[in-house]
Amino acid sequence: HSSRSCAKDTRRKQAIILSIVGAVVRRLNTGGFIVPLLTVVAGSTLGSAFVHKALPTLAFGHYSAPPLGWGDIHTRTRTHARLTLDSSRTLRLATNLARMSGGGAPPIPVTISSMFDGGNIECVDATDCTSALGVQVKVRDDPYTELEKKNHKQWFYFRAAGAFKGVQSQFTIVNAGKTSYPEAWPESTVVYSYDRLTWKRCLATSWSEETGRLAWSLTPEADLVWFAYFAPYSMEQHNDLIAACASSPTATVEEIGQSLDGRPLDLVIAGTGALKCWVIHRQHPGETQAEWYAQGLLERLLAPAHEREGLVSSLLQQFTFYIIPNMCPDGSFRGHLRTNALGTNLNREWADTGDYKAPTLVRSPEVYHTLARMDKEGCDMFVDVHGDETLPYNFISGMEGVPKWGPRLQGLQGLFTASYARANSDMQVAKSYDPDEPGKANLAICSNQIAARYDCLAVTLEQPYKNCISNSEPIYGWSPQRCKKLGASLLEAVAHAAPHLRTAEPFWDTLPPVDAYVRPSEGTATG
């Protein structure tokens, strides 16, 4: 009891002394010399011991760290053990002291890395995250695209580490104005995460058309944070998804070919029905929404028998589903926006374009193997799942420009889109791309080629990178969870379209008004 009382008395005395020292330091620091002196002192072992004890009091106005006996300092200094602060802790505490005392704060350097699965960024200047532009980075180019004569770029994903916990920090993409779709940046919000599981929107994101910079401000809750254009979907996640499908008694998984880097092109097959429904995802690797969508679709379709819905059981009897969750595994791993390892935009490889031959094993084996398998199996319904940088909603881009467009395909597209919107309020029918004029579709684009090749319902489904204005949710925006729900909801639209896909009857003459085709109008970046 006596020793505990003595210890409490010692702590009280230390707290009083440190409070007095703090007041003196704050007074002296009006000249702005204490913090620079402190950073020098902290480099010594004794100085580190002082900082370890005193600086929390000076910076935060209280003393709560377990006290060291004053005699211990000499012992631990002599043995050079356990008292040297890491540089980030010292710098953060020194910075907080300077800010509290009104003196000039030292810069806070940050380390930037994108050297991981799906990463993309180049560091320009990371010497001080508190400066006007803060951490300055550039989005890295995709390889040159021969057909389009350009280098695409827009996807970014990187980690930042530094002593910036609790400090308002600035980040700037200095070449945002030179990306593939600069018109997409208005209303865009960067996503960030501390655990790479939960991704939130940085609402303090701003775009300057004048400077061509995308900037955001964040007060991190940790000394390590990840930033991205949208919630990433790594190749490890892809492999986990494929493994889950392979272990399901409802599905089989086939490797129908390999990418240029030698990665497998995985095809998931489910169902025993005569109708053939193909759903492919992520031709453009930076459109990670697409694989989140695939996961939601597959989780519902392959649910264990005791959990399976009646609708799903019925569809597995009517259809054979052919699902490719990731068409561009190389681009996904390399952190590309739109291209494979060679720089090929796969969604322009589904037919020849003039003298440009496509698809080929040399340039686009991913499309080559997929189209060969489709020709073998047939196709009665097709959905190509993407993400759109500019438009803030989900929408269907249709078949209006294909040569066989007429009452039948128009009726199929109308009832499919309408039923999808009824099944999930995140889908809408009024906005899309401006439809092609009759006979003017680019048949090198996937869904156009499939509609023309198989005379079937074939559409492109686009999801936003931004907050989806159909059901606004600023903190999370359009999120992985909502992508998955939209993927699961596809089955209602498939079921609604099923009776009409190959019927010889003129069903379009008797469609109810709720299923009528609506010609969409061109959307804009702000809705």
Side-chain angles (χ1 to χ4, degrees), residues 230 279-294 327 337-338 345-348 350 382-389 393-397 433 445-447 459-465 478 483 486:
F230 192 81
V279 189
I280 70 170
H281 308 77
R282 209 172 172 184
Q283 286 202 80
H284 296 147
E287 296 167 10
T288 56
Q289 307 96 316
E291 197 154 5
W292 287 110
Y293 179 108
M327 282 285 294
L337 174 72
R338 288 176 72 83
N345 179 351
L346 297 183
N347 201 28
R348 301 297 183 272
W350 292 79
F382 177 85
V383 181
D384 181 17
V385 184
H386 286 255
D388 182 84
E389 292 80 2
Y393 24 65
N394 296 284
F395 61 95
I396 298 296
S397 177
Y433 303 136
I445 293 176
C446 179
S447 60
V459 298
T460 299
L461 185 150
E462 299 280 0
Q463 302 171 81
Y465 284 85
W478 186 244
C483 293
L486 190 67

Side-chain angles (χ1 to χ4, degrees), residues 55-136:
L55 196 51
T57 299
L58 306 185
F60 304 115
H62 64 86
Y63 181 73
S64 59
L68 295 171
W70 292 111
D72 291 341
I73 294 179
H74 174 71
T75 302
R76 296 189 186 185
T77 300
R78 186 178 65 244
T79 58
H80 295 273
R82 298 175 58 187
L83 279 176
T84 302
L85 284 178
D86 63 84
S87 60
S88 65
R89 176 180 167 87
T90 303
L91 182 56
R92 177 163 60 252
L93 295 178
T95 300
N96 286 336
L97 169 60
R99 285 191 165 84
M100 183 191 71
S101 62
I108 301 180
V110 173
T111 59
I112 299 296
S113 176
S114 63
M115 296 303 292
F116 45 78
D117 184 348
N120 180 318
I121 212 69
E122 293 179 5
C123 183
V124 176
D125 185 346
T127 54
D128 184 12
C129 66
T130 65
S131 65
L133 295 180
V135 176
Q136 300 171 55

Side-chain angles (χ1 to χ4, degrees), residues 82-341:
R82 298 175 58 187
L83 279 176
T84 302
L85 284 178
D86 63 84
S87 60
S88 65
R89 176 180 167 87
T90 303
L91 182 56
R92 177 163 60 252
L93 295 178
T95 300
N96 286 336
L97 169 60
R99 285 191 165 84
M100 183 191 71
S101 62
I108 301 180
V110 173
T111 59
I112 299 296
S113 176
S114 63
M115 296 303 292
F116 45 78
D117 184 348
N120 180 318
I121 212 69
E122 293 179 5
C123 183
V124 176
D125 185 346
T127 54
D128 184 12
C129 66
T130 65
S131 65
L133 295 180
V135 176
Q136 300 171 55
V137 295
K138 293 194 308 183
V139 179
R140 190 178 68 239
D141 285 353
D142 287 7
Y144 184 75
T145 303
E146 181 182 343
L147 179 63
E148 296 172 282
K149 308 299 182 188
K150 66 188 300 184
N151 294 94
H152 283 290
K153 58 176 171 287
Q154 193 116 358
W155 168 259
F156 60 90
Y157 175 29
F158 65 95
R159 53 172 270 173
F164 49 33
K165 179 180 178 180
V167 177
Q168 186 174 19
S169 303
Q170 313 297 322
F171 299 85
T172 304
I173 297 178
V174 296
N175 68 337
K178 297 180 180 179
T179 53
S180 296
Y181 305 100
E183 66 276 12
W185 296 126
E187 306 299 325
S188 291
T189 46
V190 172
V191 300
Y192 68 95
S193 177
Y194 301 110
D195 59 7
R196 298 197 297 170
L197 298 174
T198 300
W199 293 86
K200 294 183 179 180
R201 299 277 170 163
C202 185
L203 300 183
T205 302
S206 62
W207 156 247
S208 170
E209 186 174 1
E210 181 180 358
T211 64
R213 297 175 185 144
L214 184 76
W216 63 97
S217 175
L218 181 72
T219 302
E221 299 173 10
D223 283 340
L224 181 61
V225 60
W226 279 263
F227 296 107
Y229 191 20
F230 192 81
Y233 201 102
S234 70
M235 286 306 298
E236 278 303 301
Q237 289 173 276
H238 169 83
N239 289 330
D240 287 343
L241 177 62
I242 293 302
C245 293
S247 65
S248 168
T250 308
T252 58
V253 174
E254 294 185 26
E255 181 180 318
I256 62 173
Q258 291 191 346
S259 67
L260 292 169
D261 283 346
R263 292 187 174 87
L265 185 62
D266 294 312
L267 172 66
V268 181
I269 305 171
T272 57
L275 291 170
K276 310 297 176 65
C277 178
W278 284 79
V279 189
I280 70 170
H281 308 77
R282 209 172 172 184
Q283 286 202 80
H284 296 147
E287 296 167 10
T288 56
Q289 307 96 316
E291 197 154 5
W292 287 110
Y293 179 108
Q295 182 176 333
L297 170 60
L298 287 165
E299 286 176 348
R300 186 181 185 194
L301 194 63
L302 305 184
H306 66 280
E307 299 177 6
R308 189 176 302 152
E309 306 160 66
L311 173 68
V312 174
S313 296
S314 175
L315 289 175
L316 289 171
Q317 294 174 4
Q318 294 179 71
F319 284 88
T320 301
F321 289 90
Y322 298 88
I323 299 171
I324 300 180
N326 190 335
M327 282 285 294
C328 194
D330 292 349
S332 300
F333 185 82
R334 289 165 171 252
H336 295 176
L337 174 72
R338 288 176 72 83
T339 68
N340 69 3

